[in-house]
């Protein structure tokens, strides 16, 4: 029993030190002792182990003062790599990052169909290619996390993906059988929320992220953990009914929120109104800039329906920070002002309403971060986003 207790404490100390080294980028042993409260002997033993495992490296910092140059500790970026995957309606996006969360490569491929076997083969082929690219590192590819735009249970089984009409697919098992490395499957909105906390809002204890792209998804971080519900199905807020007997939804209901407030619904409606089949974000941005009446009126209706759903979410969860992830709203200067004007209830309470700076990269960033967290075994993870990646 004593051995187990000692090993557990040692593992806790290891995870604490790793998380602080990652958070600060570079830090000395002395500063680690101040921050963590661990004694110098404990830190010395742990650092020695981590250096021998090539997870961290030591460098001498240049300084002009007299005396010995301090030895700084930092994560070894070349020890291994994480792969984040965003499996969306029409595309798959792959992002490879270092174990400090810095992205080094992103690829996007078009999906030829929604057929499960075809997409499975595409995933197998590309993941194997990334494994080969990372073979030079001591730990190679440390983990793969796939964000799915659908319902994923606590066992990481895909229960339902409306856009592909997949039901009860064990993508995790199918991939692991072929590839031989650890695969994690997660809901894309959960990964977006995780990315917001890990990269942008480290101190937030109650962060809620709403993604508005091909559908609407909700991710909620409470004390650093995702709120998933009993089976893991929590967050399918896009299928909250906001218009009784309204527009039909692929889920089988009528009047779901995502039929009125997702970006795909906005694009579809505007395409019908403009008789244009291939509208892009830049087209809409130009129409809004030129104050085209139909486009402006539709945006007004879009924000109205979006605000109805946000009001319901705020009343349900009382978030500290509410992040809206939408490329459409990022190009509309008055978005937050107009949304806030609709949230007039004296009951609805939240501290901050923000537009995501991570945009459509949030899912793959969250996926990379989760793979890193799983590999290192840390309970908390604070990473620094690369501003070039966000542009």
């Amino acid at each position: 029993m004593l051995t187990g207790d000692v090993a557990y404490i040692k593992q806790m100390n290891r995870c604490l030190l790793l998380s602080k080294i990652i958070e600060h980028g570079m830090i000395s042993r002395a500063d680690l002792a101040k921050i963590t409260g661990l004694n110098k002997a404990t830190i010395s033993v742990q650092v020695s182990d981590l250096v021998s495992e090539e997870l961290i490296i030591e460098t001498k910092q240049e300084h002009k003062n007299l005396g010995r140059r301090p030895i700084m500790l930092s994560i070894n970026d070349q020890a291994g790599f994480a792969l984040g995957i965003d499996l969306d309606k029409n595309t798959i996006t792959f992002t490879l990052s270092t174990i400090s969360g810095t992205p080094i490569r992103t690829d996007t491929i078009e999906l030829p169909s929604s057929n499960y076997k075809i997409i499975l083969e595409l995933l197998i082929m590309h993941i194997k290619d990334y494994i080969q690219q990372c073979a030079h590192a001591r730990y190679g590819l440390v983990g793969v996390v796939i964000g799915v735009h659908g319902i994923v249970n606590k066992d990481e089984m895909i229960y339902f993906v409306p856009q592909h009409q997949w039901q009860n697919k064990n993508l995790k098992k199918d991939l692991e059988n072929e590839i031989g490395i650890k695969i994690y499957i997660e809901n894309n909105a959960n990964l977006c929320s995780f990315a917001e906390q890990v990269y942008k809002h480290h101190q937030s204890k109650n962060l809620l992220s709403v993604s508005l792209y091909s559908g609407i998804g909700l991710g909620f971080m409470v004390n650093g953990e995702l709120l998933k519900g009993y089976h893991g199905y929590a967050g399918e807020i896009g299928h909250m009914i906001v218009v009784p007997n309204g527009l039909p939804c692929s889920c089988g209901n009528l009047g779901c929120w995502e039929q009125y407030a997702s970006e795909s619904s906005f694009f579809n409606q505007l395409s019908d109104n403009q008789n244009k089949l291939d509208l892009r974000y830049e087209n809409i941005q130009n129409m809004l800039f030129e104050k085209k009446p139909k486009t402006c009126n539709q945006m007004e209706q879009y924000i109205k329906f979006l605000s109805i759903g946000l009001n319901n979410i705020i009343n349900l969860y009382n978030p500290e920070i509410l992040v809206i992830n939408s490329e459409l709203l990022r190009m509309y200067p008055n978005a937050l002002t107009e949304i806030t004007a609709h949230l007039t209830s004296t009951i609805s309470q939240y501290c901050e309403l923000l537009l995501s700076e991570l945009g459509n990269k949030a899912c793959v960033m969250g996926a990379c971060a989760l793979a890193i967290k799983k590999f290192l075994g840390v309970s908390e993870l604070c990473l620094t986003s690369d501003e070039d990646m966000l542009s």
Side-chain angles (χ1 to χ4, degrees):
M1 183 68 180
L2 179 61
T3 302
D5 289 345
V6 171
Y8 178 68
I9 292 171
K10 184 177 180 180
Q11 181 63 26
M12 285 182 61
N13 290 340
R14 172 191 172 94
C15 293
L16 177 60
L17 290 173
L18 266 176
S19 65
K20 293 305 177 184
I21 291 169
I22 293 171
E23 179 181 351
H24 288 83
M26 296 188 76
I27 190 169
S28 67
R29 288 171 173 80
D31 286 337
L32 274 176
K34 292 176 185 176
I35 292 169
T36 64
L38 298 175
N39 62 50
K40 292 181 179 179
T42 297
I43 290 175
S44 179
V45 171
Q46 290 281 0
V47 166
S48 178
D49 288 345
L50 291 170
V51 169
S52 67
E53 295 170 28
E54 298 181 27
L55 283 174
I56 65 173
I57 55 176
E58 298 176 301
T59 54
K60 287 188 177 181
Q61 190 176 47
E62 296 291 338
H63 72 138
K64 297 179 181 178
N65 299 328
L66 296 175
R68 295 174 61 185
R69 292 182 294 171
I71 297 175
M72 306 300 288
L73 307 172
S74 59
I75 198 76
N76 180 9
D77 263 352
Q78 299 305 306
F81 303 89
L83 181 62
I85 301 175
D86 182 2
L87 175 54
D88 205 344
K89 181 179 181 180
N90 300 311
T91 60
I92 307 176
T93 299
F94 303 84
T95 291
L96 189 70
S97 82
T98 65
I99 58 172
S100 64
T102 302
I104 56 176
R105 177 177 172 180
T106 295
D107 300 297
T108 299
I109 64 169
E110 298 290 328
L111 288 177
S113 77
S114 287
N115 183 276
Y116 177 76
K117 289 185 177 180
I118 291 175
I119 294 176
L120 175 63
E121 289 302 318
L122 281 172
L123 287 168
I124 291 170
M125 179 181 69
H126 284 275
I127 293 171
K128 284 183 175 179
D129 182 52
Y130 280 106
I131 291 173
Q132 289 182 346
Q133 292 179 43
C134 302
H136 66 282
R138 172 159 179 175
Y139 296 98
L141 192 60
V142 303
V144 178
V145 176
I146 302 175
V148 177
H149 294 240
I151 303 173
V152 179
N153 69 19
K154 286 187 175 180
D155 296 323
E156 300 178 60
M157 278 279 295
I158 297 175
Y159 176 68
F160 183 51
V161 179
Q163 295 160 351
H164 294 302
Q165 290 299 298
W166 291 354
Q167 288 182 292
N168 300 318
K169 299 295 185 183
N170 197 339
L171 182 61
K172 176 185 177 73
K173 181 180 177 181
D174 291 340
L175 286 171
E176 287 181 344
N177 286 343
E178 290 289 332
I179 296 171
I181 67 169
K182 195 69 176 176
I183 305 288
Y184 300 95
I185 309 296
E186 185 56 87
N187 171 268
N188 76 298
N190 285 342
L191 292 175
C192 290
S193 181
F194 184 62
E196 293 292 345
Q197 185 172 74
V198 168
Y199 285 96
K200 287 294 178 183
H201 308 287
H202 304 151
Q203 304 306 317
S204 176
K205 296 300 182 183
N206 290 274
L207 182 145
L208 191 153
S209 172
V210 182
S211 300
L212 304 177
Y213 293 95
S214 52
I216 298 182
L218 171 73
F220 193 17
M221 301 293 297
V222 181
N223 295 325
E225 298 294 331
L226 284 163
L227 182 67
K228 293 190 174 185
Y230 178 60
H231 288 296
Y233 299 158
E236 292 301 320
I237 205 73
H239 300 289
M240 165 179 62
I241 296 172
V242 295
V243 179
N245 299 316
L247 297 172
C249 182
S250 58
C251 76
N253 280 332
L254 300 175
C256 290
W257 189 31
E258 68 177 38
Q259 297 303 314
Y260 299 86
S262 67
E263 290 194 356
S264 61
S265 70
F266 184 93
F267 272 78
N268 290 338
Q269 185 179 341
L270 191 62
S271 292
D272 291 341
N273 291 339
Q274 302 282 348
N275 292 317
K276 295 181 180 179
L277 297 178
D278 191 26
L279 282 175
R280 300 181 182 276
Y281 285 109
E282 52 265 31
N283 302 134
I284 294 174
Q285 188 170 28
N286 290 335
M287 285 186 264
L288 289 171
F289 179 77
E290 294 169 3
K291 299 189 184 321
K292 299 287 186 181
K294 287 184 179 180
T295 309
C296 292
N297 289 339
Q298 187 176 321
M299 179 61 80
E300 184 179 329
Q301 286 299 306
Y302 177 79
I303 287 178
K304 176 183 175 182
F305 279 113
L306 175 61
S307 302
I308 290 171
L310 292 177
N311 182 76
N312 294 343
I313 291 171
I314 291 166
N315 286 336
L316 279 170
Y317 295 105
N318 180 217
E320 176 187 0
I321 296 176
L322 174 54
V323 182
I324 305 172
N325 196 322
S326 167
E327 188 66 25
L328 183 62
L329 295 180
R330 286 176 72 187
M331 65 175 61
Y332 185 57
N334 298 323
L336 285 182
T337 302
E338 292 185 17
I339 291 169
T340 304
H342 286 284
L343 304 177
T344 56
S345 172
T346 55
I347 298 173
S348 300
Q349 296 294 321
Y350 60 93
C351 290
E352 287 187 87
L353 178 66
L354 306 168
L355 287 178
S356 173
E357 296 178 34
L358 307 181
N360 58 16
K361 299 178 180 67
C363 179
V364 286
M365 290 176 71
C368 288
L370 185 58
I372 294 165
K373 183 180 179 182
K374 298 274 190 184
F375 169 67
L376 296 177
V378 297
S379 58
E380 294 183 3
L381 190 64
C382 296
L383 302 175
T384 302
S385 60
D386 185 338
E387 296 303 320
D388 290 338
M389 187 178 124
L390 305 181
S391 60

